[in-house]
Amino acid sequence: MMTAVGDNDRGLEKYLRMQRIRQFENKAEAIHAQGEIPGALHTYAGMEASGVGACMALRDDDYMVGNHRSHGHPIAKGAMLRPLMAELLGKTTGICKGKGGSMHLSDFSMGSLGETSIVGSGGPVAVGAALGAQMQGLDRVALCFFGDGASSEGAIHEALNLAAVWQLPAIFVCENNRFGMSTPTSAGVAGENVADRAHGYGIPGVMVDGQDVDAVEIAVREAVDRARSGKGPTLIETKTYRYGDHAVNMGRELTPRGPDHEDWLARDPIVLHRLRLLEQGVPPAALDVIEAQVAEEVDDALSFARESAYPAFEEAFDHVFVDRLPIPEDVLAHA
């Protein structure tokens, strides 16, 4: 039986968010190559179903903590593209006023507590947010994204242990994208599955196909329901794939590709979800409209960022926890 587009609003929202991530990342990679984005750039292409599926299981007021591969996670939770792009370009209209850059995005308005370049550091942050929600009697949950490389960091294990001991409303999502920087997971993680490590903390460990946005949402929603009901944390491992190198435009291929590379490319999460929507009766034109709409959003975000101003020199010490000393006149004169 054909299904009306209106009956697929949730599926279309997933498609919209995944398209936003992919097109945003493609644009960011292109302008980074031109020198418009300073510093390193870590893209999320290929992993869209993991982030979007997980965030679709959250409420707007739930907390989320990402990592250095940080554009996909806030977009997956619903962040606006204009301030994100402006932040990448270091502009004052950026979500962190141009001072965070690509790896340090945060948007408290939609529950994103921030990303960081320190591998594994998001675990304790999520535990703190979960503890705060528990102490305040709120039914919010905190979800932490981290990679297979971070799964061996002490901070992640400390976070898992404390969350389990205190039965905190936390969800730990390990996005196993096959590589920790350029090291294959098999060479850096003992055991076949990261999710198996959950048994050591007496909590559920769940593995899910990270290229299937619906499957990820179902798995995370079960963990969210468990956390809200006071039953404690869950460790979820999404089996996904990172299309690019650890960081883009670095001049050479850093990530060794195995014989299964083409198989992963053939299971592109956006293509798979589009096919599912078509099978459910969504007209192709409706999906084409979404793709065109997102292209306009990304172009608009870039124009907005380019037209925005850089922070003033005097703002360098704002929001920095140091003693505020007067800036010498000779320094200001050369600013």
Side-chain angles (χ1 to χ4, degrees):
M1 184 178 71
M2 296 294 287
T3 306
V5 174
D7 296 334
N8 281 281
D9 287 347
R10 193 166 192 83
L12 292 174
E13 179 65 23
K14 294 174 186 175
Y15 192 71
L16 174 67
R17 295 190 190 190
M18 287 198 289
Q19 279 289 340
R20 280 176 174 160
I21 294 172
R22 179 68 60 86
Q23 295 195 39
F24 184 94
E25 296 289 48
N26 288 344
K27 184 69 71 173
E29 185 170 349
I31 64 174
H32 182 274
Q34 299 169 3
E36 285 195 70
I37 296 178
L41 187 76
H42 304 78
T43 58
Y44 198 70
M47 302 167 61
E48 292 88 353
S50 176
V52 171
C55 288
M56 288 293 292
L58 301 176
R59 294 193 319 229
D60 291 344
D61 63 342
D62 285 328
Y63 302 115
M64 182 203 72
V65 181
N67 58 15
H68 60 279
R69 202 165 300 285
S70 63
H71 320 140
H73 298 139
I75 296 175
K77 201 167 188 298
M80 304 303 293
L81 300 189
R82 276 187 164 195
L84 292 179
M85 186 68 79
E87 187 61 38
L88 266 60
L89 269 64
K91 299 300 185 73
T92 190
T93 53
I95 196 63
C96 298
K97 302 186 183 299
K99 299 178 181 180
S102 169
M103 287 190 286
H104 302 91
L105 302 174
S106 62
D107 187 351
F108 292 176
S109 68
M110 39 74 67
S112 175
L113 301 183
E115 285 80 35
T116 172
S117 58
I118 302 174
V119 176
S121 63
V125 175
V127 166
L131 176 61
Q134 185 186 76
M135 294 178 67
Q136 295 176 76
L138 305 175
D139 66 343
R140 295 177 181 174
V141 303
L143 185 147
C144 174
F145 288 108
F146 59 99
D148 47 286
S151 71
S152 298
E153 288 284 342
I156 291 295
H157 289 273
E158 292 170 13
L160 283 164
N161 183 68
L162 195 59
V165 169
W166 288 346
Q167 292 289 281
L168 298 179
I171 298 96
F172 297 87
V173 178
C174 175
E175 297 180 303
N176 185 346
N177 61 22
R178 314 280 288 179
F179 297 98
M181 293 190 69
S182 58
T183 302
T185 304
S186 58
V189 177
E192 184 176 352
N193 304 302
V194 173
D196 293 340
R197 295 179 172 184
H199 302 309
Y201 302 105
I203 64 175
V206 179
M207 286 179 291
V208 63
D209 180 1
Q211 306 306 88
D212 185 335
V213 66
D214 293 336
V216 174
E217 182 187 8
I218 290 171
V220 175
R221 186 170 299 283
E222 290 178 356
V224 167
D225 291 343
R226 183 174 186 274
R228 286 203 210 283
S229 64
K231 296 180 181 178
T234 300
L235 172 61
I236 298 172
E237 179 183 5
T238 63
K239 302 283 191 178
T240 184
Y241 194 70
R242 190 184 78 213
Y243 285 175
D245 286 336
H246 173 64
V248 301
N249 297 326
M250 297 184 71
R252 62 189 179 93
E253 177 72 15
L254 293 179
T255 305
R257 303 297 181 176
D260 61 348
H261 177 64
E262 295 299 324
D263 294 336
W264 280 103
L265 295 181
R267 298 195 68 249
D268 185 290
I270 298 177
V271 173
L272 292 178
H273 190 56
R274 180 186 175 96
L275 290 173
R276 179 172 294 166
L277 290 173
L278 293 175
E279 290 172 356
Q280 293 172 351
V282 176
L287 302 178
D288 294 341
V289 167
I290 289 176
E291 294 173 21
Q293 171 193 328
V294 171
E296 292 180 0
E297 289 179 2
V298 172
D299 287 341
D300 171 74
L302 181 56
S303 296
F304 172 80
R306 285 172 169 168
E307 293 167 3
S308 299
Y310 288 105
F313 178 80
E314 293 81 0
E315 297 176 26
F317 293 96
D318 291 347
H319 310 109
V320 178
F321 292 97
V322 297
D323 289 334
R324 181 67 182 269
L325 301 175
I327 302 176
E329 292 297 329
D330 61 329
V331 175
L332 285 174
H334 292 86

